[in-house]
Amino acid sequence: GAVVSQHPSRVICKSGTSVKIECRSLDFQATTMFWYRQFPKQSLMLMATSNEGSKATYEQGVEKDKFLINHASLTLSTLTVTSAHPEDSSFYICSARSWGPYTDTQYFGPGTRLTVL
Amino acid sequence: SQQGEEDPQALSIQEGENATMNCSYKTSINNLQWYRQNSGRGLVHLILIRSNEREKHSGRLRVTLDTSKKSSSLLITASRAADTASYFCATGLDGGAQKLVFGQGTRLTINP
């Protein structure tokens, strides 16, 4: 099946620093990737839709200047949490859309746990 | 915003028993998908059912969809300890981006 990787899997940083998370589709091209965040024992909340070669589309309430998304190639999207604060601590999960004549499925990365001290 | 509501929120059964989880949603959908998430891990896609389908099988999984009631169910037969995980339904809305809206999830525990 299609594989999506995320790097790093875990990051701890000091308040005020920026953190970049990478999402890669390893064996397929993805013009569309998605970024979610998940708080403990809660569901996934869509943050933004990342489109290759164009600006990301953010969900209501998500600060685009806080969460910078870049989708520079068909296999890589990055999420940068700028000036991170403790309330940004969460589990961030990306997915990549694989679609064709017979399929339209999102494949999820393993997630990145961000802890801001 | 969340669209799906899942029932029950938590389910604990004995190994070998069947597990049934339900999902309800509010708006029209293009498809509904079920995912599994082990603790602290990413999501694994289990099955997709389109809005014009009523039932779908995959191994020990059986999914039904009732668009008139805006509900779906996931049945896992002959459960195993390895099935212990959280299960989420996600609805795919109309549109090319295929945005998914996730339900709150059911935490399933299979006791050996």
Side-chain angles (χ1 to χ4, degrees):
Chain A
V3 179
V4 176
S5 69
Q6 275 185 247
H7 178 79
S9 59
R10 187 181 296 268
V11 57
I12 300 173
C13 69
K14 293 182 179 180
S15 185
T17 60
S18 294
V19 175
K20 180 186 284 188
I21 303 170
E22 294 185 347
C23 177
R24 293 181 185 273
S25 56
L26 299 185
D27 50 3
F28 67 100
Q29 294 182 332
T31 56
T32 303
M33 294 185 175
F34 301 89
W35 287 96
Y36 299 83
R37 66 187 297 182
Q38 183 181 32
F39 292 105
K41 297 185 179 180
Q42 294 190 23
S43 188
L44 279 73
M45 295 291 293
L46 178 65
M47 299 175 65
T49 302
S50 172
N51 303 297
E52 187 270 335
S54 64
K55 291 182 178 179
T57 303
Y58 290 82
E59 295 300 301
Q60 189 173 8
V62 178
E63 300 175 58
K64 61 181 181 181
D65 296 328
K66 172 76 171 177
F67 300 100
L68 301 179
I69 291 173
N70 183 280
H71 194 155
S73 78
L74 289 172
T75 59
L76 173 64
S77 175
T78 61
L79 168 68
T80 300
V81 183
T82 62
S83 186
H85 291 283
E87 57 265 30
D88 298 323
S89 298
S90 189
F91 193 54
Y92 292 87
I93 304 177
C94 73
S95 70
R97 184 187 180 198
S98 174
W99 68 288
Y102 305 104
T103 184
D104 191 350
T105 303
Q106 285 188 34
Y107 294 94
F108 285 78
T112 296
R113 183 157 309 280
L114 170 64
T115 302
V116 185
L117 303 177
Chain B
S1 61
Q2 295 297 317
Q3 151 141 269
E5 293 184 2
E6 293 180 67
D7 167 47
Q9 291 188 350
L11 178 63
S12 180
I13 61 174
Q14 294 300 119
E15 193 167 22
E17 295 180 340
N18 296 339
T20 300
M21 290 159 273
N22 303 296
C23 167
S24 61
Y25 57 92
K26 298 175 182 175
T27 65
S28 296
I29 62 171
N30 177 274
N31 61 73
L32 187 143
Q33 305 184 42
W34 285 90
Y35 289 84
R36 184 184 76 228
Q37 183 182 35
N38 290 88
S39 180
R41 307 289 294 274
L43 274 71
V44 174
H45 182 262
L46 296 177
I47 198 165
L48 178 152
I49 186 166
R50 301 191 186 283
S51 59
N52 61 351
E53 297 176 309
R54 292 296 169 259
E55 187 172 312
K56 206 162 183 179
H57 297 254
S58 177
R60 294 184 294 114
L61 305 180
R62 173 177 169 254
V63 168
T64 62
L65 179 64
D66 187 334
T67 53
S68 67
K69 296 181 179 178
K70 291 186 168 59
S71 67
S72 173
S73 68
L74 170 67
L75 168 67
I76 303 175
T77 60
S79 62
R80 305 168 182 169
D83 295 329
T84 295
S86 290
Y87 291 82
F88 295 92
C89 69
T91 48
L93 308 180
D94 290 335
Q98 187 56 348
K99 287 171 54 173
L100 293 178
V101 180
F102 282 83
Q104 292 297 320
T106 294
R107 291 188 299 279
L108 175 65
T109 302
I110 308 299
N111 302 304

